[in-house]
Amino acid sequence: MEDKPDSTELPENVEANEEAVSPLVKSLVEPEHEALTTEEVRKLSELDDVDLGRLIESLPQEARAEVLAEIPPERYWPLLVRLQHETVTNLFKLIPSEVQDSIMEYASDADIIELADALPKKFVGALLVEVESERAEALLAALSYDEEQVGRYMKTDVMRVRGSSSVNLLRKRLDRRSSFPAAIVVLDENNHAAGVMLYRDITRAGAKEKLIDLLSPVTCFRDDMTLAEAARAGDYNYNTAWYPVEREGEVVGVLGAADLLDYLKEKNIESLGSEASSEEEDLFTPVMKAARIRAIWLVINLGTAFLASAVIAMFEGTLEKVVALAVLMPVVASMGGIAGSQTLAIAIRGLALKTLSEANLKLLLVKEARIAVLNGIVLGLLVGVVVWQWFDSPQLGAIIAVAILVNGLAAAYAGTMVPFLLKKLKIDPAVSGSVILTTVTDVVGFFLFLGLGTLVFVTLAATSA
């Protein structure tokens, strides 16, 4: 029977090797870069999974395709589980079908469960067809739970023993098995989980000792609990490697303490970029897709901005025509602010994950500028037409359209550069970034909008006179 460690090995806090990753990022994003050199291929092969994941997160799609072509099939899954789910989704669009077929055999159950929602449904279906029926049944049961539920990640290979049993009886049961179970759950007199038996206690305890006397109290989870609820309820100490999981009062599996710690670590990183959706966009999501994601929230924000403008417009009848500029000022400032906050969140997350550096900063600026131009043109024209009809002034519509476009570009530049510069100055960008960003978008938006308005209407007034 194979040896079994006393507890689940907790994930190491491994930092990426910046000296190995940054030069490769810089080389791969250079405009004149055409193909990987022999030296670059050698350096890629020397990167461990943490460094390779950091490299891929730092690259745009074109460069990612080059790197993927050099990765052997057996390295895919250790790499994929270290990436954001959105990155995994984007990567699979670059992986040829024959390569997808070749990596299936290397996927573990934990890999499939962890990444099922990020992988193409066609790929997951084909993967389940390839595995043994018993394993496929277990995977389907796990995937029936939501991504955030405990049941999705619990191990079902558990041994249930009564607390009144002796250590000697348990040893005999283990000797009859070909391999150790994931965990040994001890039941009380009501068949509820009393705790999880540690392997080290089995070897140290006397043969006649009762299992119930060797247990430390441990929290029991329901299978339909969310990971957030479990993380709040869990007790974290050296003796806790597994938490029993029950369904309708019956023990159906265990959840690893390491899984909860991984979840808390991911949420801690996501909180640094909470103003942007954490699973929808990674550092170099394609421009069209990223623009579409952000446009939804820009349109929502547009509605609230016009609400503020409508309140001011209630007094428009008593004022001169120029007051229309004051009525529309909140629209320009608010659109710049929300666009900038989206970029700011992506940049802050990139800094937190160490995927944003001087090597790819310029490339990110270009990407954000393209998104700003795309959304600026579409939403600027939309707002311009509305303003034209509202105030019966094509000049005013053109002014606000230009102001929204240019302020969006300023927001993209500030949202990318501000957190990077603050990090250089050793100032927390998560705390100070939004303050500086708001100042930039307000100053640029107001100056541009009012300046253009003054210039146009003064010129028109002078011409008519």
Side-chain angles (χ1 to χ4, degrees), residues 303-350:
T304 61
F306 267 110
L307 181 62
S309 297
V311 174
I312 302 173
M314 293 171 60
F315 304 95
E316 125 179 77
T318 61
L319 301 171
E320 296 276 337
K321 170 93 175 191
V322 72
V323 174
L325 296 173
V327 171
L328 296 169
M329 274 170 38
V331 176
V332 178
S334 183
M335 291 294 287
I338 192 66
S341 68
Q342 292 172 331
T343 302
L344 182 74
I346 293 296
I348 290 176
R349 188 184 305 125

mmCIF file of all heavy atoms in Angstrom, residues 303-350:
data_model
loop_
_atom_site.group_PDB
_atom_site.id
_atom_site.type_symbol
_atom_site.label_atom_id
_atom_site.label_comp_id
_atom_site.label_asym_id
_atom_site.label_seq_id
_atom_site.Cartn_x
_atom_site.Cartn_y
_atom_site.Cartn_z
ATOM 1 N N GLY A 303 -26.901 56.340 -18.648
ATOM 2 C CA GLY A 303 -28.253 56.616 -18.170
ATOM 3 C C GLY A 303 -28.263 57.433 -16.891
ATOM 4 O O GLY A 303 -29.027 58.388 -16.756
ATOM 5 N N THR A 304 -27.392 57.077 -15.939
ATOM 6 C CA THR A 304 -27.338 57.835 -14.684
ATOM 7 C C THR A 304 -26.793 59.240 -14.904
ATOM 8 O O THR A 304 -27.189 60.179 -14.227
ATOM 9 C CB THR A 304 -26.464 57.090 -13.657
ATOM 10 O OG1 THR A 304 -25.133 56.965 -14.166
ATOM 11 C CG2 THR A 304 -27.011 55.703 -13.376
ATOM 12 N N ALA A 305 -25.865 59.387 -15.876
ATOM 13 C CA ALA A 305 -25.314 60.715 -16.161
ATOM 14 C C ALA A 305 -26.385 61.636 -16.745
ATOM 15 O O ALA A 305 -26.469 62.818 -16.388
ATOM 16 C CB ALA A 305 -24.143 60.588 -17.131
ATOM 17 N N PHE A 306 -27.219 61.113 -17.631
ATOM 18 C CA PHE A 306 -28.282 61.938 -18.210
ATOM 19 C C PHE A 306 -29.350 62.284 -17.171
ATOM 20 O O PHE A 306 -30.014 63.314 -17.273
ATOM 21 C CB PHE A 306 -28.928 61.216 -19.402
ATOM 22 C CG PHE A 306 -28.294 61.574 -20.711
ATOM 23 C CD1 PHE A 306 -27.532 60.650 -21.401
ATOM 24 C CD2 PHE A 306 -28.440 62.846 -21.241
ATOM 25 C CE1 PHE A 306 -26.935 60.985 -22.600
ATOM 26 C CE2 PHE A 306 -27.851 63.186 -22.447
ATOM 27 C CZ PHE A 306 -27.092 62.248 -23.131
ATOM 28 N N LEU A 307 -29.504 61.439 -16.164
ATOM 29 C CA LEU A 307 -30.454 61.750 -15.096
ATOM 30 C C LEU A 307 -30.030 63.012 -14.361
ATOM 31 O O LEU A 307 -30.847 63.896 -14.085
ATOM 32 C CB LEU A 307 -30.534 60.561 -14.125
ATOM 33 C CG LEU A 307 -31.505 60.712 -12.949
ATOM 34 C CD1 LEU A 307 -32.932 60.875 -13.465
ATOM 35 C CD2 LEU A 307 -31.406 59.517 -12.022
ATOM 36 N N ALA A 308 -28.726 63.114 -14.053
ATOM 37 C CA ALA A 308 -28.216 64.317 -13.395
ATOM 38 C C ALA A 308 -28.362 65.531 -14.296
ATOM 39 O O ALA A 308 -28.726 66.627 -13.852
ATOM 40 C CB ALA A 308 -26.750 64.110 -13.022
ATOM 41 N N SER A 309 -28.114 65.340 -15.592
ATOM 42 C CA SER A 309 -28.240 66.454 -16.536
ATOM 43 C C SER A 309 -29.691 66.925 -16.666
ATOM 44 O O SER A 309 -29.959 68.118 -16.810
ATOM 45 C CB SER A 309 -27.728 66.027 -17.919
ATOM 46 O OG SER A 309 -26.360 65.724 -17.862
ATOM 47 N N ALA A 310 -30.626 65.980 -16.593
ATOM 48 C CA ALA A 310 -32.037 66.344 -16.725
ATOM 49 C C ALA A 310 -32.502 67.229 -15.570
ATOM 50 O O ALA A 310 -33.319 68.137 -15.745
ATOM 51 C CB ALA A 310 -32.884 65.081 -16.800
ATOM 52 N N VAL A 311 -31.952 66.967 -14.359
ATOM 53 C CA VAL A 311 -32.319 67.794 -13.202
ATOM 54 C C VAL A 311 -31.849 69.232 -13.410
ATOM 55 O O VAL A 311 -32.591 70.195 -13.170
ATOM 56 C CB VAL A 311 -31.705 67.201 -11.917
ATOM 57 C CG1 VAL A 311 -31.943 68.130 -10.739
ATOM 58 C CG2 VAL A 311 -32.292 65.829 -11.642
ATOM 59 N N ILE A 312 -30.625 69.390 -13.890
ATOM 60 C CA ILE A 312 -30.106 70.743 -14.149
ATOM 61 C C ILE A 312 -30.885 71.414 -15.266
ATOM 62 O O ILE A 312 -31.150 72.616 -15.236
ATOM 63 C CB ILE A 312 -28.611 70.665 -14.524
ATOM 64 C CG1 ILE A 312 -27.817 69.996 -13.408
ATOM 65 C CG2 ILE A 312 -28.034 72.041 -14.824
ATOM 66 C CD1 ILE A 312 -26.362 69.728 -13.737
ATOM 67 N N ALA A 313 -31.295 70.612 -16.262
ATOM 68 C CA ALA A 313 -31.990 71.164 -17.422
ATOM 69 C C ALA A 313 -33.375 71.711 -17.069
ATOM 70 O O ALA A 313 -33.977 72.432 -17.876
ATOM 71 C CB ALA A 313 -32.128 70.099 -18.498
ATOM 72 N N MET A 314 -33.910 71.413 -15.894
ATOM 73 C CA MET A 314 -35.210 71.939 -15.483
ATOM 74 C C MET A 314 -35.213 73.465 -15.437
ATOM 75 O O MET A 314 -36.263 74.094 -15.541
ATOM 76 C CB MET A 314 -35.574 71.365 -14.109
ATOM 77 C CG MET A 314 -35.835 69.869 -14.105
ATOM 78 S SD MET A 314 -36.018 69.193 -12.436
ATOM 79 C CE MET A 314 -37.421 70.111 -11.847
ATOM 80 N N PHE A 315 -34.021 74.058 -15.274
ATOM 81 C CA PHE A 315 -33.924 75.517 -15.169
ATOM 82 C C PHE A 315 -33.459 76.162 -16.468
ATOM 83 O O PHE A 315 -33.168 77.347 -16.513
ATOM 84 C CB PHE A 315 -32.941 75.875 -14.044
ATOM 85 C CG PHE A 315 -33.303 75.276 -12.720
ATOM 86 C CD1 PHE A 315 -32.742 74.074 -12.310
ATOM 87 C CD2 PHE A 315 -34.230 75.890 -11.892
ATOM 88 C CE1 PHE A 315 -33.075 73.517 -11.090
ATOM 89 C CE2 PHE A 315 -34.577 75.342 -10.666
ATOM 90 C CZ PHE A 315 -33.999 74.145 -10.267
ATOM 91 N N GLU A 316 -33.399 75.380 -17.539
ATOM 92 C CA GLU A 316 -32.827 75.873 -18.783
ATOM 93 C C GLU A 316 -33.616 77.023 -19.386
ATOM 94 O O GLU A 316 -33.059 77.913 -20.040
ATOM 95 C CB GLU A 316 -32.692 74.693 -19.755
ATOM 96 C CG GLU A 316 -33.332 74.862 -21.070
ATOM 97 C CD GLU A 316 -33.136 73.659 -21.968
ATOM 98 O OE1 GLU A 316 -33.831 72.675 -21.755
ATOM 99 O OE2 GLU A 316 -32.316 73.733 -22.871
ATOM 100 N N GLY A 317 -34.959 77.059 -19.162
ATOM 101 C CA GLY A 317 -35.788 78.103 -19.755
ATOM 102 C C GLY A 317 -35.455 79.497 -19.275
ATOM 103 O O GLY A 317 -35.779 80.470 -19.962
ATOM 104 N N THR A 318 -34.838 79.614 -18.119
ATOM 105 C CA THR A 318 -34.553 80.934 -17.566
ATOM 106 C C THR A 318 -33.134 81.407 -17.879
ATOM 107 O O THR A 318 -32.733 82.466 -17.416
ATOM 108 C CB THR A 318 -34.725 80.900 -16.035
ATOM 109 O OG1 THR A 318 -33.812 79.958 -15.476
ATOM 110 C CG2 THR A 318 -36.154 80.543 -15.659
ATOM 111 N N LEU A 319 -32.382 80.635 -18.609
ATOM 112 C CA LEU A 319 -30.986 80.961 -18.858
ATOM 113 C C LEU A 319 -30.714 81.117 -20.347
ATOM 114 O O LEU A 319 -31.512 80.712 -21.202
ATOM 115 C CB LEU A 319 -30.082 79.858 -18.270
ATOM 116 C CG LEU A 319 -30.224 79.632 -16.761
ATOM 117 C CD1 LEU A 319 -29.445 78.393 -16.351
ATOM 118 C CD2 LEU A 319 -29.725 80.848 -15.974
ATOM 119 N N GLU A 320 -29.527 81.660 -20.650
ATOM 120 C CA GLU A 320 -29.106 81.840 -22.025
ATOM 121 C C GLU A 320 -28.733 80.490 -22.630
ATOM 122 O O GLU A 320 -28.585 79.482 -21.929
ATOM 123 C CB GLU A 320 -27.878 82.758 -22.076
ATOM 124 C CG GLU A 320 -28.147 84.181 -21.578
ATOM 125 C CD GLU A 320 -28.730 85.063 -22.635
ATOM 126 O OE1 GLU A 320 -28.529 84.745 -23.822
ATOM 127 O OE2 GLU A 320 -29.390 86.031 -22.283
ATOM 128 N N LYS A 321 -28.500 80.423 -23.911
ATOM 129 C CA LYS A 321 -28.164 79.190 -24.617
ATOM 130 C C LYS A 321 -26.906 78.521 -24.060
ATOM 131 O O LYS A 321 -26.800 77.300 -24.021
ATOM 132 C CB LYS A 321 -27.954 79.520 -26.098
ATOM 133 C CG LYS A 321 -27.371 78.405 -26.924
ATOM 134 C CD LYS A 321 -28.439 77.578 -27.571
ATOM 135 C CE LYS A 321 -27.817 76.549 -28.478
ATOM 136 N NZ LYS A 321 -28.768 75.871 -29.324
ATOM 137 N N VAL A 322 -25.926 79.304 -23.589
ATOM 138 C CA VAL A 322 -24.667 78.754 -23.125
ATOM 139 C C VAL A 322 -24.830 77.851 -21.906
ATOM 140 O O VAL A 322 -23.982 77.029 -21.608
ATOM 141 C CB VAL A 322 -23.657 79.884 -22.824
ATOM 142 C CG1 VAL A 322 -24.041 80.633 -21.557
ATOM 143 C CG2 VAL A 322 -22.243 79.347 -22.729
ATOM 144 N N VAL A 323 -25.943 77.983 -21.216
ATOM 145 C CA VAL A 323 -26.193 77.156 -20.038
ATOM 146 C C VAL A 323 -26.299 75.675 -20.425
ATOM 147 O O VAL A 323 -26.078 74.794 -19.593
ATOM 148 C CB VAL A 323 -27.463 77.634 -19.308
ATOM 149 C CG1 VAL A 323 -27.829 76.704 -18.162
ATOM 150 C CG2 VAL A 323 -27.253 79.041 -18.789
ATOM 151 N N ALA A 324 -26.585 75.408 -21.690
ATOM 152 C CA ALA A 324 -26.640 74.017 -22.144
ATOM 153 C C ALA A 324 -25.314 73.309 -21.894
ATOM 154 O O ALA A 324 -25.271 72.096 -21.647
ATOM 155 C CB ALA A 324 -26.991 73.961 -23.626
ATOM 156 N N LEU A 325 -24.223 74.058 -21.944
ATOM 157 C CA LEU A 325 -22.920 73.461 -21.666
ATOM 158 C C LEU A 325 -22.848 72.967 -20.222
ATOM 159 O O LEU A 325 -22.338 71.885 -19.943
ATOM 160 C CB LEU A 325 -21.803 74.481 -21.925
ATOM 161 C CG LEU A 325 -21.645 74.952 -23.373
ATOM 162 C CD1 LEU A 325 -20.616 76.078 -23.448
ATOM 163 C CD2 LEU A 325 -21.232 73.792 -24.265
ATOM 164 N N ALA A 326 -23.353 73.774 -19.290
ATOM 165 C CA ALA A 326 -23.342 73.395 -17.881
ATOM 166 C C ALA A 326 -24.244 72.183 -17.636
ATOM 167 O O ALA A 326 -23.936 71.317 -16.818
ATOM 168 C CB ALA A 326 -23.782 74.564 -17.019
ATOM 169 N N VAL A 327 -25.354 72.145 -18.383
ATOM 170 C CA VAL A 327 -26.277 71.025 -18.238
ATOM 171 C C VAL A 327 -25.602 69.701 -18.627
ATOM 172 O O VAL A 327 -25.823 68.660 -17.998
ATOM 173 C CB VAL A 327 -27.534 71.257 -19.103
ATOM 174 C CG1 VAL A 327 -28.411 70.010 -19.144
ATOM 175 C CG2 VAL A 327 -28.329 72.431 -18.572
ATOM 176 N N LEU A 328 -24.742 69.748 -19.650
ATOM 177 C CA LEU A 328 -24.143 68.524 -20.188
ATOM 178 C C LEU A 328 -22.776 68.194 -19.614
ATOM 179 O O LEU A 328 -22.221 67.135 -19.902
ATOM 180 C CB LEU A 328 -24.036 68.647 -21.716
ATOM 181 C CG LEU A 328 -25.380 68.749 -22.444
ATOM 182 C CD1 LEU A 328 -25.174 69.126 -23.900
ATOM 183 C CD2 LEU A 328 -26.140 67.430 -22.346
ATOM 184 N N MET A 329 -22.225 69.082 -18.815
ATOM 185 C CA MET A 329 -20.907 68.827 -18.231
ATOM 186 C C MET A 329 -20.824 67.496 -17.467
ATOM 187 O O MET A 329 -19.838 66.755 -17.606
ATOM 188 C CB MET A 329 -20.494 69.975 -17.306
ATOM 189 C CG MET A 329 -19.825 71.114 -18.032
ATOM 190 S SD MET A 329 -19.602 72.600 -17.010
ATOM 191 C CE MET A 329 -19.191 71.920 -15.432
ATOM 192 N N PRO A 330 -21.808 67.134 -16.641
ATOM 193 C CA PRO A 330 -21.714 65.857 -15.903
ATOM 194 C C PRO A 330 -21.616 64.633 -16.817
ATOM 195 O O PRO A 330 -21.018 63.629 -16.444
ATOM 196 C CB PRO A 330 -23.006 65.828 -15.082
ATOM 197 C CG PRO A 330 -23.412 67.260 -14.966
ATOM 198 C CD PRO A 330 -22.996 67.893 -16.246
ATOM 199 N N VAL A 331 -22.197 64.727 -18.035
ATOM 200 C CA VAL A 331 -22.139 63.595 -18.958
ATOM 201 C C VAL A 331 -20.695 63.332 -19.379
ATOM 202 O O VAL A 331 -20.209 62.207 -19.337
ATOM 203 C CB VAL A 331 -23.020 63.856 -20.197
ATOM 204 C CG1 VAL A 331 -22.879 62.709 -21.193
ATOM 205 C CG2 VAL A 331 -24.469 64.039 -19.785
ATOM 206 N N VAL A 332 -19.992 64.398 -19.765
ATOM 207 C CA VAL A 332 -18.606 64.254 -20.221
ATOM 208 C C VAL A 332 -17.723 63.738 -19.092
ATOM 209 O O VAL A 332 -16.935 62.799 -19.263
ATOM 210 C CB VAL A 332 -18.067 65.601 -20.745
ATOM 211 C CG1 VAL A 332 -16.607 65.469 -21.163
ATOM 212 C CG2 VAL A 332 -18.913 66.096 -21.898
ATOM 213 N N ALA A 333 -17.852 64.327 -17.908
ATOM 214 C CA ALA A 333 -17.005 63.933 -16.770
ATOM 215 C C ALA A 333 -17.295 62.497 -16.338
ATOM 216 O O ALA A 333 -16.378 61.721 -16.049
ATOM 217 C CB ALA A 333 -17.230 64.889 -15.611
ATOM 218 N N SER A 334 -18.559 62.141 -16.296
ATOM 219 C CA SER A 334 -18.925 60.812 -15.824
ATOM 220 C C SER A 334 -18.486 59.722 -16.796
ATOM 221 O O SER A 334 -18.001 58.667 -16.390
ATOM 222 C CB SER A 334 -20.437 60.731 -15.598
ATOM 223 O OG SER A 334 -20.808 59.485 -15.073
ATOM 224 N N MET A 335 -18.638 59.976 -18.099
ATOM 225 C CA MET A 335 -18.208 58.994 -19.094
ATOM 226 C C MET A 335 -16.700 58.772 -19.016
ATOM 227 O O MET A 335 -16.219 57.638 -19.086
ATOM 228 C CB MET A 335 -18.600 59.465 -20.500
ATOM 229 C CG MET A 335 -20.097 59.453 -20.755
ATOM 230 S SD MET A 335 -20.788 57.790 -20.761
ATOM 231 C CE MET A 335 -20.171 57.186 -22.320
ATOM 232 N N GLY A 336 -15.948 59.852 -18.858
ATOM 233 C CA GLY A 336 -14.495 59.709 -18.707
ATOM 234 C C GLY A 336 -14.133 58.970 -17.438
ATOM 235 O O GLY A 336 -13.225 58.138 -17.423
ATOM 236 N N GLY A 337 -14.855 59.252 -16.358
ATOM 237 C CA GLY A 337 -14.570 58.619 -15.077
ATOM 238 C C GLY A 337 -14.788 57.123 -15.091
ATOM 239 O O GLY A 337 -13.947 56.346 -14.614
ATOM 240 N N ILE A 338 -15.909 56.672 -15.653
ATOM 241 C CA ILE A 338 -16.194 55.242 -15.651
ATOM 242 C C ILE A 338 -15.263 54.495 -16.601
ATOM 243 O O ILE A 338 -14.807 53.386 -16.311
ATOM 244 C CB ILE A 338 -17.683 54.956 -16.006
ATOM 245 C CG1 ILE A 338 -18.053 53.501 -15.706
ATOM 246 C CG2 ILE A 338 -17.990 55.302 -17.438
ATOM 247 C CD1 ILE A 338 -18.014 53.143 -14.261
ATOM 248 N N ALA A 339 -14.936 55.101 -17.756
ATOM 249 C CA ALA A 339 -13.996 54.470 -18.688
ATOM 250 C C ALA A 339 -12.616 54.347 -18.044
ATOM 251 O O ALA A 339 -11.943 53.317 -18.161
ATOM 252 C CB ALA A 339 -13.903 55.276 -19.984
ATOM 253 N N GLY A 340 -12.206 55.397 -17.358
ATOM 254 C CA GLY A 340 -10.908 55.369 -16.692
ATOM 255 C C GLY A 340 -10.856 54.361 -15.564
ATOM 256 O O GLY A 340 -9.832 53.703 -15.350
ATOM 257 N N SER A 341 -11.948 54.207 -14.828
ATOM 258 C CA SER A 341 -11.957 53.257 -13.708
ATOM 259 C C SER A 341 -11.857 51.823 -14.196
ATOM 260 O O SER A 341 -11.260 50.964 -13.535
ATOM 261 C CB SER A 341 -13.229 53.439 -12.864
ATOM 262 O OG SER A 341 -14.380 53.040 -13.585
ATOM 263 N N GLN A 342 -12.421 51.542 -15.375
ATOM 264 C CA GLN A 342 -12.293 50.196 -15.949
ATOM 265 C C GLN A 342 -10.837 49.895 -16.303
ATOM 266 O O GLN A 342 -10.316 48.826 -16.002
ATOM 267 C CB GLN A 342 -13.184 50.075 -17.194
ATOM 268 C CG GLN A 342 -14.668 50.113 -16.874
ATOM 269 C CD GLN A 342 -15.527 50.196 -18.128
ATOM 270 O OE1 GLN A 342 -15.099 50.731 -19.143
ATOM 271 N NE2 GLN A 342 -16.741 49.684 -18.047
ATOM 272 N N THR A 343 -10.185 50.865 -16.942
ATOM 273 C CA THR A 343 -8.770 50.696 -17.283
ATOM 274 C C THR A 343 -7.918 50.604 -16.019
ATOM 275 O O THR A 343 -6.985 49.794 -15.928
ATOM 276 C CB THR A 343 -8.287 51.880 -18.146
ATOM 277 O OG1 THR A 343 -9.078 51.957 -19.322
ATOM 278 C CG2 THR A 343 -6.826 51.712 -18.538
ATOM 279 N N LEU A 344 -8.240 51.444 -15.041
ATOM 280 C CA LEU A 344 -7.495 51.450 -13.774
ATOM 281 C C LEU A 344 -7.546 50.083 -13.106
ATOM 282 O O LEU A 344 -6.533 49.579 -12.603
ATOM 283 C CB LEU A 344 -8.087 52.512 -12.844
ATOM 284 C CG LEU A 344 -7.404 52.699 -11.490
ATOM 285 C CD1 LEU A 344 -6.078 53.422 -11.669
ATOM 286 C CD2 LEU A 344 -8.304 53.484 -10.535
ATOM 287 N N ALA A 345 -8.718 49.460 -13.093
ATOM 288 C CA ALA A 345 -8.865 48.153 -12.449
ATOM 289 C C ALA A 345 -8.038 47.088 -13.160
ATOM 290 O O ALA A 345 -7.413 46.239 -12.511
ATOM 291 C CB ALA A 345 -10.342 47.749 -12.429
ATOM 292 N N ILE A 346 -8.020 47.108 -14.493
ATOM 293 C CA ILE A 346 -7.219 46.145 -15.250
ATOM 294 C C ILE A 346 -5.738 46.342 -14.952
ATOM 295 O O ILE A 346 -4.989 45.376 -14.744
ATOM 296 C CB ILE A 346 -7.473 46.303 -16.760
ATOM 297 C CG1 ILE A 346 -8.915 45.902 -17.103
ATOM 298 C CG2 ILE A 346 -6.488 45.457 -17.569
ATOM 299 C CD1 ILE A 346 -9.238 44.453 -16.839
ATOM 300 N N ALA A 347 -5.292 47.597 -14.900
ATOM 301 C CA ALA A 347 -3.877 47.876 -14.627
ATOM 302 C C ALA A 347 -3.493 47.466 -13.206
ATOM 303 O O ALA A 347 -2.428 46.885 -12.981
ATOM 304 C CB ALA A 347 -3.591 49.365 -14.844
ATOM 305 N N ILE A 348 -4.359 47.763 -12.236
ATOM 306 C CA ILE A 348 -4.065 47.397 -10.847
ATOM 307 C C ILE A 348 -3.995 45.882 -10.697
ATOM 308 O O ILE A 348 -3.113 45.353 -10.012
ATOM 309 C CB ILE A 348 -5.118 47.987 -9.892
ATOM 310 C CG1 ILE A 348 -4.956 49.511 -9.801
ATOM 311 C CG2 ILE A 348 -5.002 47.372 -8.497
ATOM 312 C CD1 ILE A 348 -6.006 50.191 -8.959
ATOM 313 N N ARG A 349 -4.909 45.169 -11.360
ATOM 314 C CA ARG A 349 -4.855 43.710 -11.291
ATOM 315 C C ARG A 349 -3.573 43.192 -11.948
ATOM 316 O O ARG A 349 -2.948 42.254 -11.479
ATOM 317 C CB ARG A 349 -6.066 43.075 -11.961
ATOM 318 C CG ARG A 349 -6.148 41.570 -11.734
ATOM 319 C CD ARG A 349 -7.286 40.907 -12.472
ATOM 320 N NE ARG A 349 -8.536 41.537 -12.151
ATOM 321 C CZ ARG A 349 -9.361 42.037 -13.064
ATOM 322 N NH1 ARG A 349 -9.048 41.983 -14.332
ATOM 323 N NH2 ARG A 349 -10.489 42.600 -12.719
ATOM 324 N N GLY A 350 -3.169 43.820 -13.067
ATOM 325 C CA GLY A 350 -1.931 43.427 -13.717
ATOM 326 C C GLY A 350 -0.722 43.624 -12.818
ATOM 327 O O GLY A 350 0.177 42.783 -12.771
#
